[in-house]
Amino acid sequence: MGSIGADGPRVLIVGAGFGGLQAALSLARAKPPAQVLVLDRHTYHTFTPLLYQVATAALEAEQIAYPVRAIFRRWPNVECRVTEVSGVDLVSRLVQTDGGAIPYDYLILAAGSVTSFFGVPGVAETSYHLRDLPEALALRNRLLTLFERAAEAPESERRTRLNLLVVGGGPTGVELAGAISELSREILAHDFPGLRPEDVGVTLIEAGGRLLAPFRPRLCSAALSALQQRGVKVLLRSQVETVDRKGVHLTDGTTIETSLLMWAAGVRAADLARSLTSYPASSGRVSVLPTLQLPDYPEVYVIGDMAEVRQGTAVLPMLAPVAIQEGRQAANNVVRQIAGTPARPFRYIDRGTMATIGRSSAVVQAGPLSLAGFSAWVAWLTLHLVELIGYRNRVLVLVNWAWEYLFFQRAVRVVVEPAERPRRQDA
Ligand SMILES: Cc1cc2nc3c(=O)[nH]c(=O)nc-3n(C[C@H](O)[C@H](O)[C@H](O)COP(=O)(O)OP(=O)(O)OC[C@H]3O[C@@H](n4cnc5c(N)ncnc54)[C@H](O)[C@@H]3O)c2cc1C
């Protein structure tokens, strides 16, 4: 174990996601540099915007992940530890982990969010979701296995075996539905010559009146027609009431049978937020001051998906750029506090949002600019390549994308089930 905290104040960061990573990098570069310890349950940082591509066999898991230790290799004042954080003792200034309690002088909580089932009975037990790499790999395995089984089934049963259902018409649901439809109809159809395109059904259910609700109406309509062109059946104003083994039951009494339910209807703050119940906000988030500090504990910052930050009357969305900018601000404020100057309020600069629907199709909204179609797709590809961590990952992702574009092939159409581990060696 290193000597972090031996001299100077110790800054503990929980979470090596978008917010935590940015906070640690800003602190690493600060003058004088703070002593930083980053805690995460994984050894890697995940680039979540491309998770759906892992789930739909377009990219390998390692291409959208980067080892946290490698990121901080050049910074001797930043140490990393893989551990599960279970709570925070604000009074004693301790973070509880599965390896014991760790003291801090300053704390930045950036543990992100988890899938929200909104209390709908049966969803948690029956659905696949997409919040991290293990979940993306589980979904990929299930999707590819369904095709294997359907190919062996009698013709009359194939459609029921390939009834694929996505719930949630936000960016994740739209991207997933578009990618699954393309995977099924354009790529797997060639691998399974016995299956016909009409054997596969992809349905997207959204409770609201339009897809991609935060986007301008013109872009929402463009996304809807792009999905429909890809054969996705879109049901708007359709709310899920319960789910059981038979299928999904809507509030209007309709039942939709499905062989694969993918739940992309929303997220809530990570469970760690429950240890800060004195500062409740919507979606289980933590209500913080404009400086991102906890009201009674100025040495504690909460950022990213965990924090509810208001700008004017609006609550900032759960998005990567919000977490990144908050991470930078929290780090700057810690440096200011160490220097004896007051923390500054956070101000989010919105540079725009985008979502992709599939090959040659995306929507982009940036300031007064609205783009849909091929130009938006090129902008989406370029930005995601630039933002990926690591040159190697960028090159590999570019090669995979080019290969798919030119040859209608997805590189990762393999089912890799995790093996049983020998228990005695699991320390
Ligand atoms: C499928 C998907 C697609 C998305 N697409 C986009 C997009 O296109 N554009 C966009 O702007 N945003 C997108 N988002 C949202 C974006 O990922 C989040 O807003 C952003 O990651 C929030 O950053 P964060 O630092 O708060 O949390 P995260 O980046 O989620 O990081 C949280 C970290 O905390 C760790 N952690 C959590 N709990 C514990 C614990 N108890 N102990 C130890 N470690 C813990 C996790 O392992 C993780 O590394 C997407 C999200 C998902 C799930």
Side-chain angles (χ1 to χ4, degrees), residues 143-318:
L143 203 53
L144 297 177
T145 305
L146 276 179
F147 273 83
E148 292 292 342
R149 293 198 184 136
E152 298 303 319
E155 218 172 303
S156 57
E157 281 181 28
R158 287 181 184 163
R159 180 61 196 236
T160 20
R161 286 174 182 259
L162 290 172
N163 252 341
L164 315 174
L165 186 60
V166 180
V167 178
T172 301
V174 166
E175 291 177 342
L176 203 49
I180 287 176
S181 183
E182 283 182 352
L183 172 73
S184 309
R185 288 164 183 268
E186 294 172 7
I187 297 168
L188 291 181
H190 299 290
D191 290 0
F192 299 94
L195 292 177
R196 298 159 307 164
E198 55 272 28
D199 289 330
V200 187
V202 182
T203 305
L204 174 63
I205 297 183
E206 162 59 34
R210 57 186 203 182
L211 300 177
L212 300 180
F215 286 77
R216 293 189 185 111
R218 184 172 85 75
L219 299 179
C220 302
S221 307
L224 175 63
S225 47
L227 276 184
Q228 288 168 335
Q229 278 163 19
R230 283 164 177 75
V232 178
K233 184 174 170 191
V234 180
L235 302 178
L236 298 174
R237 295 180 195 83
S238 300
Q239 198 157 351
V240 178
E241 193 168 46
T242 57
V243 179
D244 56 26
R245 291 180 71 83
K246 196 168 166 227
V248 167
H249 307 282
L250 305 183
T251 47
D252 65 4
T254 318
T255 294
I256 302 175
E257 290 184 14
T258 180
S259 49
L260 175 59
L261 171 61
M262 290 157 277
W263 187 261
V267 291
R268 61 172 174 80
D271 290 338
L272 196 55
R274 291 185 182 152
S275 56
L276 306 170
T277 46
S278 307
Y279 312 98
S282 57
S283 302
R285 297 168 95 181
V286 179
S287 182
V288 292
L289 298 173
T291 51
L292 307 174
Q293 290 162 300
L294 272 189
D296 309 306
Y297 299 92
E299 70 283 4
V300 179
Y301 291 78
V302 187
I303 60 169
D305 286 1
M306 271 187 87
E308 183 179 277
V309 181
R310 287 183 176 274
Q311 202 148 286
T313 51
V315 172
L316 293 180
M318 291 175 165

Side-chain angles (χ1 to χ4, degrees), residues 28-40:
R29 294 175 186 134
K31 297 227 169 16
Q35 299 298 310
V36 182
L37 176 59
V38 181
L39 309 177
D40 201 293

Side-chain angles (χ1 to χ4, degrees), residues 15 17-19 40-41 48 83-85 111-112 131 304-305 318-321 323:
F18 285 100
D40 201 293
R41 59 162 69 105
T48 51
T83 187
E84 180 72 27
V85 176
R131 193 63 197 84
D305 286 1
M318 291 175 165
L319 287 175

